[in-house]
Amino acid sequence: MTSAVATLSMYDWPETSYAMDRLWDGICAELLDRGIDAPVALNRQEHPVSLWSKPELIIGQTCGWPYANYLREQVVPFARFAYDLHDCEPGDYNSVYIGNSDEDADHLADPQSFDFIEKLAINGDDSQSGFHVFAEITGKPSEESIPKEKRILTGAHRNSVAAVASGEANVAAIDAVAFELAKRYDTEAVSNIVVLGNSRSKPGLPLITSKANAHLVPELIQAVKSAVENAESSILETLLITGVVDAKEDDYLGFVLN
């Protein structure tokens, strides 16, 4: 029985879980062919935050902000999926700013009026795309510019879309990949929000492995690339994946909280 663990939870929606499992089947087969111990199934029982720091982690996917700010001593980034996103280079992503009305766009366009936003939905205060991205607007860390009493912690980008659509929140920043999924599967909620713009592009979510597996990085990169190249087009289309690019620690230095 293997002790290795794997998690690809960041865009693992119920509607896409079948495709994610099939992609993992391919990755797992590639790893085993290379003599690398790998679990036959993704771990969905444990919270991904706990899995990211396990020495048994063979492949995981995390947000750039947690990697840069508290995982760098424990894991190694080695690749990024490229997603079917407009206005982003392969392997990059951005945030989609959404609101209740066009008037909200004025608050996002002018740092001086940002304070007039009453409620902001955030998926988590460790999220680059859903929280720390607002620093681009305010010019200072989001922790300083968004008072806690204005934050509505939703736990997921999908929930943030719902919070804005229902009027519970005025504004949110949504990971562009998650927003594309919401456009497919949460059409009613998306029809009740206004897209206000996009953030600047940044390196996408890194695939990581534990420092204990750092010597396997070249093989891990090739295993993931081969699995994606050989995956059925319908699986990749469901997951919005168009390819794989290499990743390294320096890609995420811009995420470090000073």
Side-chain angles (χ1 to χ4, degrees):
M1 183 175 178
T2 180
S3 61
V5 296
T7 174
L8 295 173
S9 61
M10 301 304 285
Y11 305 119
D12 189 15
W13 290 28
E15 295 90 343
T16 64
S17 61
Y18 172 81
M20 192 70 77
D21 285 338
R22 298 293 74 75
L23 178 62
W24 178 251
D25 288 344
I27 294 173
C28 180
E30 293 286 346
L31 293 173
L32 294 176
D33 284 348
R34 290 167 169 77
I36 298 173
D37 193 23
V40 296
L42 294 167
N43 188 318
R44 292 188 175 95
Q45 287 70 50
E46 296 180 61
H47 195 283
V49 172
S50 67
L51 295 173
W52 293 337
S53 58
K54 283 182 177 290
E56 298 87 2
L57 180 71
I58 188 66
I59 291 180
Q61 186 182 35
T62 184
C63 176
W65 196 91
Y67 165 71
N69 288 282
Y70 60 79
L71 287 172
R72 278 190 296 166
E73 299 304 315
Q74 299 164 289
V75 303
V76 179
F78 64 89
R80 291 178 262 149
F81 288 124
Y83 292 96
D84 185 15
L85 300 175
H86 301 296
D87 302 322
C88 289
E89 294 296 318
D92 289 355
Y93 80 138
N94 59 14
S95 297
V96 180
Y97 295 119
I98 64 172
N100 300 129
S101 68
D102 291 328
E103 188 176 323
D104 295 314
D106 296 332
H107 298 319
L108 293 179
D110 180 6
Q112 299 303 315
S113 66
F114 185 84
D115 292 340
F116 290 104
I117 298 174
E118 295 180 3
K119 295 291 182 182
L120 289 92
I122 63 170
N123 58 314
D125 58 14
D126 62 348
S127 171
Q128 172 60 35
S129 57
F131 181 58
H132 294 283
V133 68
F134 285 110
E136 290 186 8
I137 296 171
T138 65
K140 55 185 179 180
S142 295
E143 283 285 358
E144 298 176 14
S145 54
I146 305 176
K148 289 188 176 181
E149 61 269 20
K150 288 191 174 187
R151 305 175 199 171
I152 296 176
L153 185 62
T154 68
H157 284 292
R158 189 174 198 172
N159 297 340
S160 293
V161 173
V164 173
S166 69
E168 181 184 2
N170 304 102
V171 166
I174 310 298
D175 174 304
V177 179
F179 191 67
E180 289 299 316
L181 293 175
K183 284 160 60 176
R184 288 182 178 179
Y185 304 118
D186 294 328
T187 54
E188 183 175 355
V190 170
S191 70
N192 287 315
I193 59 95
V194 176
V195 174
L196 306 174
N198 296 81
S199 73
R200 296 192 292 270
S201 296
K202 289 187 178 295
L205 280 57
L207 297 179
I208 57 174
T209 192
S210 73
K211 282 284 180 78
N213 295 321
H215 62 291
L216 297 174
V217 161
E219 297 283 357
L220 296 179
I221 293 172
Q222 290 307 313
V224 174
K225 287 183 176 180
S226 293
V228 169
E229 288 171 1
N230 294 320
E232 295 179 15
S233 59
S234 62
I235 297 300
L236 298 181
E237 193 275 336
T238 297
L239 299 173
L240 297 169
I241 292 173
T242 59
V244 181
V245 301
D246 293 357
K248 56 187 183 300
E249 180 177 357
D250 289 353
D251 295 337
Y252 299 93
L253 293 181
F255 294 92
V256 176
L257 186 63
N258 296 320

